[in-house]
Amino acid sequence: MNIEGKKVTEKVGSILGNYQREKGMLVSILQDVQAEYNYLPKDALMEVSQGLDVPLSRVYSVATFFKSFSLKPRGRHLINVCLGTACHVRGAVRILEKIERELGINPDETTEDLKFTLETVNCVGACALGPIVIVDGEYSGEMRTDKIIPLLDKYD
Ligand code: FES
């Protein structure tokens, strides 16, 4: 399929242009699309498929292979609750349940206002400080349920 004459959005078109529409750069292109939208919108994947002349099924298989890609809208802030053994024995489940209640979502879900996405991880290598909650890469150790609301309040 030739992309000439096909309409692609300005953003995706410009990302494709940055990589000279090289099929081999599919992963990097998807990373840039995700950086733009915070996830991989279906329309954008179709535009990438058309723009690179790569089957949509191939684009989807790459998009679903890498855990870092998301096909669902994600929040502006990513919360990770460590459920590794050390954090677990120090009460990580109570911390997770408190966050779930506060935000009204379960792990792997995003709040309706697209403010927070909640995920869990298994050990982030800071066991001595558990239980650990990580928001946008920032670690908070020795978490207690009464520290959750002040922590969430820090984010817009
Ligand atoms: S188990 Fe949570 S940091 Fe290791």
Side-chain angles (χ1 to χ4, degrees):
M1 189 191 303
N2 192 315
I3 61 146
E4 287 304 314
K6 289 203 176 288
K7 192 171 190 291
V8 294
T9 65
E10 210 172 290
K11 281 176 186 169
V12 174
S14 124
I15 290 169
L16 291 171
N18 290 341
Y19 293 93
Q20 286 79 46
R21 298 178 186 271
E22 269 289 330
K23 294 180 191 190
M25 300 306 291
L26 178 56
V27 173
S28 299
I29 289 167
L30 293 181
Q31 283 171 336
D32 284 8
V33 172
Q34 175 148 307
E36 183 69 44
Y37 296 101
N38 220 10
Y39 79 111
L40 296 174
K42 189 177 168 198
D43 287 353
L45 294 181
M46 290 171 66
E47 288 160 11
V48 168
S49 163
Q50 291 170 359
L52 295 182
D53 193 14
V54 166
L56 187 57
S57 58
R58 166 86 184 127
V59 175
Y60 265 98
S61 77
V62 171
T64 52
F65 180 79
F66 293 98
K67 194 178 180 296
S68 56
F69 290 135
S70 175
L71 296 175
K72 292 189 295 189
R74 288 164 65 85
R76 296 189 296 284
H77 305 289
L78 174 62
I79 304 171
N80 263 300
V81 178
C82 180
L83 291 182
T85 306
C87 287
H88 193 279
V89 298
R90 291 167 184 236
V93 171
R94 279 199 306 279
I95 301 295
L96 176 62
E97 287 171 349
K98 173 74 174 171
I99 296 173
E100 288 173 345
R101 273 198 309 279
E102 283 307 316
L103 299 182
I105 57 174
N106 295 313
D108 296 322
E109 291 181 352
T110 295
T111 55
E112 266 182 31
D113 60 3
L114 297 182
K115 186 171 177 183
F116 291 110
T117 293
L118 177 61
E119 292 182 351
T120 60
V121 286
N122 283 316
C123 192
V124 291
C127 308
L129 296 174
I132 299 275
V133 174
I134 306 158
V135 185
D136 296 344
E138 193 175 317
Y139 285 48
S140 296
E142 300 178 338
M143 283 305 293
R144 297 190 316 260
T145 51
D146 62 346
K147 288 182 176 178
I148 296 299
I149 291 175
L151 176 66
L152 298 180
D153 280 348
K154 283 169 46 181
Y155 296 89
D156 291 327

